[in-house]
Amino acid sequence: MAIELDKDARDRAIASLQRYFTENMDEPIGNIQAGALLHFFVEEIAPVIYNRAIADAQERLQARIAELDIDCYEEPFDYWKKQPARKR
């Protein structure tokens, strides 16, 4: 599954890369260069982050499913236990 950014996210990411280069590197980076660098990050590095996020989500869901029987369990045949004892 390819990771894609919508236009707004892509534009904001490019602007962020350009700002980073302006503030932290010796030379600023142009729009085309920042776009190419972003493309590289999305193709090369983003899948690692995406896969980790999916694994974390699966882990949390599996933990919740394991607790489902505790949260949603109802004791059967409990009516008589709740009734006061009658004298005969």
Side-chain angles (χ1 to χ4, degrees):
M1 172 179 203
I3 299 171
E4 295 182 20
L5 302 175
D6 63 39
K7 183 178 177 355
D8 181 56
R10 185 177 187 286
D11 291 345
R12 292 175 70 188
I14 288 171
S16 182
L17 283 170
Q18 287 179 300
R19 180 177 178 184
Y20 181 85
F21 268 75
T22 298
E23 293 183 10
N24 296 292
M25 301 295 174
D26 294 335
E27 292 184 32
I29 188 172
N31 193 38
I32 294 173
Q33 293 166 320
L37 185 58
L38 176 62
H39 178 75
F40 171 76
F41 287 155
V42 170
E43 290 281 321
E44 187 70 11
I45 299 166
V48 173
I49 297 166
Y50 178 84
N51 292 341
R52 182 70 246 166
I54 294 299
D56 288 348
Q58 286 175 328
E59 222 174 88
R60 288 177 185 249
L61 285 172
Q62 287 171 350
R64 289 296 295 150
I65 288 169
E67 295 172 357
L68 195 57
D69 64 338
I70 296 168
D71 293 342
C72 298
Y73 182 78
E74 189 64 36
E75 187 66 39
F77 304 106
D78 211 19
Y79 175 82
W80 295 111
K81 293 177 189 174
K82 296 177 184 176
Q83 301 304 311
R86 286 197 217 174
K87 293 184 181 180
R88 288 186 182 203

